[in-house]
């Protein structure tokens, strides 16, 4: 029996948080999903490994048991032991009372057993009867990636299933990690759940339903007041800058953030951080005006 390093499969550290594990899984699953690599056997095997690793590391009970085995196996290797001599029997056979093993996602996708002997030995499964039982209640999941603009306005994705072309609506306001149910979109009329990843937008930082951005103004606008053009998802708007605005001052534009998922008519806010550009090359007249404004006590 060969030991499987699930952390290495997902490319995460053993100390990785649950969120780190999910992010790594979504990225790899999208890269190696069979729909993106039709007929590619290497990608198919990689996809199976990724899903198996995620089944373990995303489940606190499975991960704890796997980490106990990993620690014992690592100590055995450090003492010069080999996989052939390691006492696997104390670890294999499943946990007392049974651990629920979700086989259906990948098994049904490939029409065969997609989990390794290592996984089945460690977590049990109960053979064909248990596999059939879990398959009945199984849901299908597929990661998708959308832009911030699509998340703001809502969008659609099309899928081919059982010779049918299906279009699934992604509602406005979804976040990374949101699940969108597509009723009957999976094989045999089962439901498909789309796991959403909203890609980063260089213009904005998203925090829940709020957005954050920045705007640059010149020194004279900061001192005297004026206007600044600010990006929003709907296009630029004009922000009034009061006289005496300080560098890094933040202004709130109410209702200019993301739609709220369960109430699309309600929106978060947009927070604008002002950056003041200090000119390096002033005209003599500008320099003279600033010196006068500074007063006689100013030393340059």
């Amino acid at each position: 029996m060969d030991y499987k390093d699930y952390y290495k499969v997902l490319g995460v550290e053993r100390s990785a948080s649950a969120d780190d594990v999910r992010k790594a899984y979504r990225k790899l699953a999208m890269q190696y999903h069979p729909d993106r690599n039709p007929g590619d056997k290497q990608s198919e095997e990689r996809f199976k490994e990724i899903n198996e690793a995620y089944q373990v590391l995303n489940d606190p009970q499975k991960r704890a048991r796997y980490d106990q085995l990993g620690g014992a196996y690592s100590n055995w290797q450090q003492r010069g032991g080999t996989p052939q001599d390691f006492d696997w029997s104390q670890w294999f056979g499943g946990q007392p009372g049974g651990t629920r093993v979700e086989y259906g996602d990948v098994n049904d996708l490939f029409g065969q057993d997609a989990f390794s002997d290592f996984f089945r030995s460690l977590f049990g499964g109960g053979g064909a009867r248990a596999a059939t039982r879990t398959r009945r209640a199984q849901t299908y999941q597929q990661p998708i990636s959308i832009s911030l603009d699509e998340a703001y306005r809502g969008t659609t994705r099309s899928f081919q299933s059982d010779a049918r072309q299906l279009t699934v609506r992604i509602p406005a306001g979804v976040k990374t990690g949101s699940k969108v149910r597509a009723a009957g979109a999976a094989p045999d009329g089962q439901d498909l759940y789309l796991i959403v990843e909203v890609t980063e937008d260089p213009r904005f930082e998203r925090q829940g339903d709020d957005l954050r951005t920045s705007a640059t103004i010149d020194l004279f606008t900061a001192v005297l007041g004026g206007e600044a053009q600010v990006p929003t998802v709907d296009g630029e708007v004009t922000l009034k800058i009061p006289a005496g605005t300080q560098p890094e001052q933040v202004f709130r534009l109410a209702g200019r953030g993301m739609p709220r998922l369960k109430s699309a008519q309600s929106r978060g806010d947009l927070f604008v951080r002002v950056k003041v550009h200090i000119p390096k090359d002033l005209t003599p007249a500008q320099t003279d005006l600033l010196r006068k404004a500074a007063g006689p006590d100013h030393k340059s």
Side-chain angles (χ1 to χ4, degrees):
M1 179 70 66
D2 292 327
Y3 173 79
K4 284 186 172 291
D5 190 338
Y6 291 134
Y7 291 99
K8 186 176 181 180
V9 170
L10 292 185
V12 297
E13 299 292 332
R14 290 187 175 272
S15 58
S17 66
D19 189 51
D20 291 335
V21 168
R22 284 190 291 270
K23 287 180 180 178
Y25 165 73
R26 285 196 295 265
K27 180 179 179 181
L28 291 171
M30 284 193 293
Q31 180 180 352
Y32 291 101
H33 196 281
D35 289 348
R36 291 193 172 188
N37 305 275
D40 188 334
K41 292 297 182 182
Q42 288 186 338
S43 292
E44 180 179 309
E45 292 304 315
R46 183 80 173 100
F47 184 75
K48 291 177 186 177
E49 285 185 335
I50 293 163
N51 274 276
E52 181 173 313
Y54 184 66
Q55 286 281 347
V56 175
L57 301 187
N58 190 53
D59 184 300
Q61 285 185 313
K62 293 191 187 77
R63 183 172 179 176
R65 180 171 175 79
Y66 173 73
D67 285 345
Q68 289 177 341
L69 167 61
Y73 185 76
S74 177
N75 291 336
W76 174 259
Q77 283 189 314
Q78 290 174 7
R79 296 197 300 268
T82 65
Q84 293 77 14
D85 298 327
F86 184 72
D87 183 10
W88 299 102
S89 63
Q90 62 177 311
W91 297 99
F92 288 165
Q95 292 177 309
T99 300
R100 182 175 179 180
V101 181
E102 302 289 354
Y103 292 108
D105 266 354
V106 188
N107 286 350
D108 291 344
L109 181 61
F110 294 108
Q112 59 183 327
D113 182 5
F115 288 83
S116 69
D117 290 340
F118 175 85
F119 180 94
R120 284 188 173 275
S121 298
L122 184 59
F123 298 110
R129 184 177 178 183
T132 301
R133 184 170 59 251
T134 58
R135 194 173 285 125
R136 287 196 194 105
Q138 185 58 54
T139 56
Y140 289 76
Q141 296 184 354
Q142 179 171 324
I144 62 166
S145 178
I146 66 174
S147 67
L148 185 71
D149 284 281
E150 290 178 309
Y152 181 81
R153 296 180 173 83
T155 187
T156 60
R157 287 292 186 271
S158 296
F159 299 92
Q160 191 78 22
S161 176
D162 292 340
R164 297 176 300 156
Q165 183 73 22
L166 301 173
T167 299
V168 180
R169 179 180 172 274
I170 314 298
V174 291
K175 305 175 178 65
T176 291
S178 293
K179 291 184 178 182
V180 179
R181 175 175 172 264
D188 301 323
Q190 296 189 58
D191 294 344
L192 172 68
Y193 286 85
L194 305 180
I195 311 302
V196 177
E197 178 183 15
V198 181
T199 57
E200 293 184 2
D201 190 303
R203 300 169 298 171
F204 306 103
E205 176 186 350
R206 184 176 183 179
Q207 296 180 346
D209 295 321
D210 295 332
L211 295 175
R212 294 185 178 274
T213 190
S214 62
T216 300
I217 61 175
D218 59 40
L219 175 63
F220 305 103
T221 301
V223 173
L224 302 174
E227 296 179 343
Q229 294 303 114
V230 174
T232 74
V233 184
D234 281 326
E236 289 192 343
V237 298
T238 299
L239 173 66
K240 290 186 178 181
I241 305 296
T245 292
Q246 301 299 303
E248 302 301 312
Q249 189 169 336
V250 176
F251 293 89
R252 171 176 168 266
L253 298 182
R256 290 287 186 173
M258 298 294 291
R260 303 192 192 281
L261 184 56
K262 295 183 179 181
S263 178
Q265 302 305 314
S266 175
R267 300 179 185 271
D269 300 328
L270 174 65
F271 293 88
V272 184
R273 185 177 298 276
V274 172
K275 299 182 180 298
V276 179
H277 174 68
I278 307 298
K280 293 183 179 179
D281 300 315
L282 294 174
T283 65
Q286 290 172 331
T287 302
D288 186 54
L289 284 173
L290 287 175
R291 282 177 175 164
K292 289 180 179 178
D297 295 333
H298 174 73
K299 295 181 181 181
S300 60

